[in-house]
Amino acid sequence: MIAALRRWLDGDVGHSFRSSPTAMVAALIAFACVFCAAFAPWVAPHNPFDLATLELSNARLPPAWMEGGNPAFLLGTEDQGRDILSALMYGARISLAVGLTSVMLSVLIGVVLGLLAGFLGGWVDAFLMRLCDVMLSFPPILVALLIAGVGRALFPNSQDELAFGVLVLAITLTGWVQYARTVRGSTLVERNKEYVQAARVTGVPPLRIMRRHVLPNVMGPVLVLATIQVATAIIIEATLSFLGVGAPITAPSLGTLIRVGNDYLFSGEWWITVFPGAMLVLIALSVNLLGDWLRDALNPKLR
């Protein structure tokens, strides 16, 4: 593990990372957010979703450094008496889980369909590209509302379990198109190169050519796009949760926390909304900066 990390740091991409202060700071911020979210049960000072520990007398306390604040609640509390700092860690856990899961599913679907469209061509290519055009006409919010409506009608007693499936499915159904188009364009270039023609002449099956030869050479742009799309997926999840379609109120994500705090924004309890919003911006910005760096690092023209 350590040897592999040392080889990576000594390579072109590692050198680009070490020579970019912006990428290093963004990676540090992203790592801190992911670490706090992944280990929230051990890092968070309180369990904000344990109803037995909540006291309404602690509701809407200001941050600890303000008058009336409690040192036990560093960033204050929200309307139910939950610790804002702990809620941010648990909320980021949900947002990151939904964002990463939806992006991985989008990459899987988009890469497979993009390879088939670019390598096979003909009616397969035409059909898949028209399907992409159709999917682009449906925004994630509309898809989420449709899936949520159908799911609630079919499973009226499974609202909490259904909420996360709605989020992942809505983001995935509208997110795979970009990967499919990116992989298709790269595959159209790769399939006419000499190494692919040589594999065809020697009788290598098309599926093996796509998996062993074409796929490794088209994954560079996909990795860059996936990194950037993680931030987009997290923002979409927050938007859906803010509208009430996403994570349930019993296990709120960052979007749900912002929606709860929005009711108190103009009554003086600004911290209930500002801190979840700042956390969301921090995660999205750090991931986007890492995506921009990765795009430049993997582009040989910029080395």
Side-chain angles (χ1 to χ4, degrees):
M1 184 70 177
I2 299 178
L5 179 61
R6 186 178 293 110
R7 286 195 301 270
W8 181 81
L9 290 174
D10 292 336
D12 293 337
V13 177
H15 175 73
S16 174
F17 178 77
R18 287 186 286 110
S19 60
S20 174
T22 301
M24 296 181 68
V25 172
L28 183 62
I29 294 174
F31 175 78
C33 293
V34 172
F35 178 84
C36 291
F39 298 96
W42 298 275
V43 177
H46 305 276
N47 184 352
F49 307 129
D50 185 3
L51 299 180
T53 62
L54 298 182
E55 296 184 11
L56 291 179
S57 59
N58 293 328
R60 292 184 286 178
L61 291 177
W65 61 85
M66 294 180 60
E67 182 180 357
N70 188 333
F73 306 107
L74 182 62
L75 300 182
T77 60
E78 41 97 89
D79 61 327
Q80 298 297 321
R82 296 188 181 102
D83 176 41
I84 293 291
L85 178 60
S86 302
L88 290 181
M89 296 181 184
Y90 279 84
R93 194 180 196 185
I94 298 173
S95 298
L96 287 170
V98 171
L100 291 173
T101 303
S102 59
V103 167
M104 286 190 293
L105 290 176
S106 298
V107 169
L108 179 62
I109 297 172
V111 168
V112 171
L113 296 183
L115 272 176
L116 292 175
F119 194 82
L120 300 179
W123 67 269
V124 175
D125 184 19
F127 172 76
L128 292 176
M129 288 304 101
R130 297 298 75 76
L131 180 62
C132 289
D133 294 336
V134 172
M135 294 307 303
L136 283 175
S137 63
F138 294 99
I141 296 177
L142 181 60
V143 174
L145 291 174
L146 177 62
I147 297 174
V150 174
R152 286 170 183 169
L154 296 177
F155 307 101
N157 298 322
S158 303
Q159 297 299 320
D160 291 354
E161 296 81 359
L162 183 66
F164 298 105
V166 168
L167 287 171
V168 173
L169 192 57
I171 299 174
T172 301
L173 287 178
T174 55
W176 66 268
V177 177
Q178 300 183 56
Y179 302 100
R181 287 189 162 186
T182 300
V183 172
R184 172 187 177 266
S186 300
T187 303
L188 288 174
V189 175
E190 296 294 327
R191 73 175 186 177
N192 295 320
K193 291 187 176 180
E194 291 79 2
Y195 72 95
V196 176
Q197 300 298 331
R200 281 175 170 170
V201 170
T202 56
V204 179
L207 184 61
R208 186 182 179 88
I209 294 176
M210 286 189 287
R211 182 171 58 88
R212 294 287 299 275
H213 301 286
V214 178
L215 180 60
N217 292 309
V218 301
M219 286 303 294
V222 172
L223 293 176
V224 176
L225 184 60
T227 303
I228 297 175
Q229 286 299 311
V230 168
T232 304
I234 292 174
I235 293 176
I236 294 175
E237 181 276 327
T239 303
L240 294 174
S241 296
F242 182 84
L243 296 175
V245 187
I249 194 64
T250 56
S253 67
L254 294 177
T256 311
L257 294 172
I258 295 173
R259 183 186 65 177
V260 171
N262 187 58
D263 297 333
Y264 301 93
L265 182 60
F266 296 104
S267 62
E269 289 85 7
W270 52 267
W271 57 87
I272 304 178
T273 294
V274 170
F275 290 131
M279 182 74 169
L280 180 64
V281 170
L282 201 62
I283 294 175
L285 181 61
S286 62
V287 173
N288 273 329
L289 290 175
L290 282 176
D292 291 341
W293 160 77
L294 188 61
R295 178 194 59 202
D296 297 339
L298 295 179
N299 189 349
K301 296 180 180 179
L302 299 177
R303 293 179 186 171

